[in-house]
Amino acid sequence: MQQFPDAPTGKGPAERFTGDVYVDMVVPGGEQGFSVGRVHFTPGAHTAWHSHAAGQVLHCTEGLGLVVTADAVILLRPGSTVWTPPDVRHWHGALPDHLMSHLAMSGVVELAEARDAVTWQEHVSDDDYATAAAAAQEA
Ligand code: MN
């Protein structure tokens, strides 16, 4: 067996995230076939649009947030679990006035790859963020 080393908390890079986001890798992508990250979003912080080649399960552990696709918005609260299928464009993050933490569990497409395969796209516009956050809180 193998114990993964304690990795330092990483800062989500500005080209992939809006606002302050911190990531602790729990399981680095590797021969086990999936990766797990514990991701902490400060209020209002969120990812850019992106998709995962092998899909992704998000499990909210703290706070309030949302997951958004082209045609759906789901509110994340502690205990919420959401599956986004392979190659479905989406973004996720905290509500404007709440912290949010989730576990992000992503399949590894090719075992030889060190990380899950994410295709990063454009940032979420301020208008789209505000609209989705309002819809999440009405649902
Ligand atoms: Mn995702």
Side-chain angles (χ1 to χ4, degrees), residues 50 52 56 90 92:
H50 64 281
H52 304 271
Q56 181 179 57
H90 68 284
H92 30 109

Side-chain angles (χ1 to χ4, degrees), residues 47-52 55-58 67 84 88-92 102 104 106 116 118 120:
T47 70
W49 286 98
H50 64 281
S51 61
H52 304 271
Q56 181 179 57
V57 172
L58 299 175
V67 188
T84 304
V88 171
R89 200 171 122 84
H90 68 284
W91 58 270
H92 30 109
H102 65 45
S106 308
D116 56 307
V118 185
W120 288 98

Side-chain angles (χ1 to χ4, degrees), residues 3-41:
Q3 181 174 14
F4 295 118
D6 292 336
T9 298
K11 180 86 194 297
E15 62 268 28
R16 296 176 175 180
F17 296 92
T18 297
D20 290 332
V21 178
Y22 297 91
V23 181
D24 292 309
M25 287 312 295
V26 178
V27 179
E31 65 178 356
Q32 74 284 345
F34 61 93
S35 70
V36 180
R38 201 168 57 239
V39 188
H40 313 273
F41 297 84

Side-chain angles (χ1 to χ4, degrees), residues 74-86:
I74 294 178
L75 178 69
L76 289 177
R77 58 173 75 250
S80 300
T81 305
V82 176
W83 162 243
T84 304

